Amino acid sequence: MRPIVLRVLRLEGDRVVAGGRERAAPGAPIWVDCTPEPENLDWLASRFGFHQLALEDAANDGQRPKFEDYPGTAFVVLHRLSPGSGSGAVSTDDAELHSFLTAEALVTVHSHPIAELDAVFARVQGDPDVLRRGPDFALYLVYDAVTDAHFAMADDLTDRVELLNEEIIEDPNEKHVMRRVAELRRELAHLRRRLAPQREVLAALSRPGQPVVHERTVVYFRDVQDHVVRITEEIDVARELVAQTMEIYLSAVNNRLSTVMARMALAATIFLPLTFITGFFGMNLPGTDRQLGWWVVGAATVILPAAMWTWFKVRGWF
């Protein structure tokens, strides 16, 4: 059972004061961070008047990244992807961050801890200038930190793809290639599926004329959007490299199979004269002297395969 959490930061003069619901009085920039328990969401509805549809989305995980513009409020959903365990770079267990942004308040709702949000929350608590620049700037700091974490995950995943590609080029007989390729494809697909929609979300936040985003903050959201675009481009390049790696591996497998089949065909060809000799003569050896016939057949069975093997070797077929 997750603990019920609701914490508030409020700018009062030249300092930031931390507390609970009692600090969420109007008239000063505030940041409310909470978990989506019904009592917390009911309090948000009564205190800020958020739209019921947005509160329903905030109450349940499983939302796609999106930006919804309500009167006086922007509701934003982004995902914080989690690193995978073991050799995996990406886990499918994401943390969703639901954010309500108004002219005077930032409200973040999430079920799972988000380290980047906690770090920014601690920074804001000790730096009044952040809230003085507006709640939208605090939201930018959170999104920027989360995007930087995604950058590191994408770089790690790209490094794994490049390493596998180099290993396949050097040794096409590398074991467990199919499993490793499948894992990389799954992680890349999950990363792109979660991050690609965030480009449109950040584009909406960086659009000039937003009533809840100051013009001076728009450029910062635009910078985060550029970072997300670069991440998705890096993911696309990595996906192409995975496809190239798979083609190299399959080509090596086909070449190896063709070589084996060719050698088997040559081996069968070498023994074909022996089959003909034994089948044609059987026990009816040529000539009146059967001992001489034994020597002729025996010599043929030894010389013909040796001569054919030597000829195939000279031609480079073996």
Side-chain angles (χ1 to χ4, degrees):
M1 178 68 68
R2 64 193 176 196
I4 299 177
V5 175
L6 191 147
R7 52 184 179 173
V8 178
L9 294 180
R10 186 174 189 270
L11 181 65
E12 297 182 359
D14 293 333
R15 64 193 184 99
V16 174
V17 180
R21 292 187 175 97
E22 73 281 357
R23 290 295 178 185
I30 60 174
W31 180 358
V32 179
D33 181 54
C34 66
T35 50
E37 272 68 32
E39 51 266 46
N40 289 343
L41 297 179
D42 290 343
W43 178 79
L44 292 177
S46 61
R47 165 62 180 84
F48 297 98
F50 294 146
H51 198 282
Q52 188 62 33
L53 291 177
L55 290 170
E56 289 179 2
D57 288 343
N60 302 289
D61 286 343
Q63 309 295 325
R64 67 182 302 275
K66 61 182 178 179
F67 172 89
E68 294 182 350
D69 191 9
Y70 294 97
T73 304
F75 176 66
V76 188
V77 179
L78 287 186
H79 288 248
R80 167 58 167 105
L81 280 72
S82 303
S85 58
S87 60
V90 183
S91 171
T92 56
D93 186 17
D94 302 339
E96 290 187 24
L97 177 58
H98 307 134
S99 304
F100 297 85
L101 183 62
T102 70
E104 69 168 11
L106 167 63
V107 178
T108 51
V109 183
H110 51 99
S111 301
H112 302 89
I114 301 176
E116 291 76 19
L117 185 146
D118 291 338
V120 175
F121 198 88
R123 172 183 171 182
V124 172
Q125 188 171 356
D127 186 1
D129 289 337
V130 175
L131 281 183
R132 192 175 292 118
R133 300 179 70 170
D136 54 339
F137 190 75
L139 183 63
Y140 150 73
L141 292 177
V142 174
Y143 287 171
D144 184 57
V146 169
T147 302
D148 288 343
H150 291 162
F151 243 131
M153 295 171 63
D155 289 341
D156 180 62
L157 198 52
T158 301
D159 291 341
R160 289 171 54 202
V161 173
E162 293 176 348
L163 178 61
L164 178 60
N165 185 268
E166 294 174 359
E167 291 177 355
I168 295 302
I169 293 176
E170 295 177 359
D171 182 13
N173 299 321
E174 178 71 22
K175 296 181 179 179
H176 310 301
V177 171
M178 298 295 292
R179 177 181 58 79
R180 294 171 65 184
V181 167
E183 290 177 353
L184 290 171
R185 280 181 169 176
R186 176 184 58 79
E187 294 180 27
L188 287 169
H190 180 72
L191 197 62
R192 195 182 195 287
R193 183 168 59 252
R194 292 304 189 195
L195 295 184
Q198 295 189 17
R199 295 176 299 184
E200 287 72 24
V201 172
L202 291 165
L205 284 169
S206 60
R207 187 171 60 244
Q210 288 289 328
V212 295
V213 179
H214 295 93
E215 291 297 328
R216 62 178 180 271
T217 313
V218 166
V219 64
Y220 292 100
F221 281 115
R222 189 178 301 130
D223 181 67
V224 179
Q225 179 199 9
D226 178 66
H227 290 174
V228 175
V229 170
R230 288 167 55 191
I231 294 175
T232 54
E233 290 176 349
E234 183 177 354
I235 294 171
D236 290 338
V237 172
R239 294 176 70 183
E240 293 177 1
L241 188 57
V242 169
Q244 178 188 6
T245 301
M246 194 64 184
E247 291 176 0
I248 294 173
Y249 173 71
L250 293 177
S251 177
V253 170
N254 290 332
N255 291 338
R256 187 166 63 251
L257 180 60
S258 298
T259 301
V260 171
M261 295 300 295
R263 290 180 177 177
M264 292 178 64
L266 291 175
T269 303
I270 289 175
F271 285 96
L272 184 61
L274 303 182
T275 305
F276 172 77
I277 292 173
T278 56
F280 181 79
F281 291 107
M283 297 302 296
N284 300 317
L285 297 176
T288 57
D289 189 349
R290 289 184 177 274
Q291 186 176 5
L292 177 60
W294 277 107
W295 281 107
V296 171
V297 172
T301 57
V302 173
I303 294 174
L304 281 176
M308 295 179 68
W309 185 88
T310 302
W311 174 249
F312 293 157
K313 190 71 174 177
V314 170
R315 295 296 301 271
W317 295 348
F318 264 125

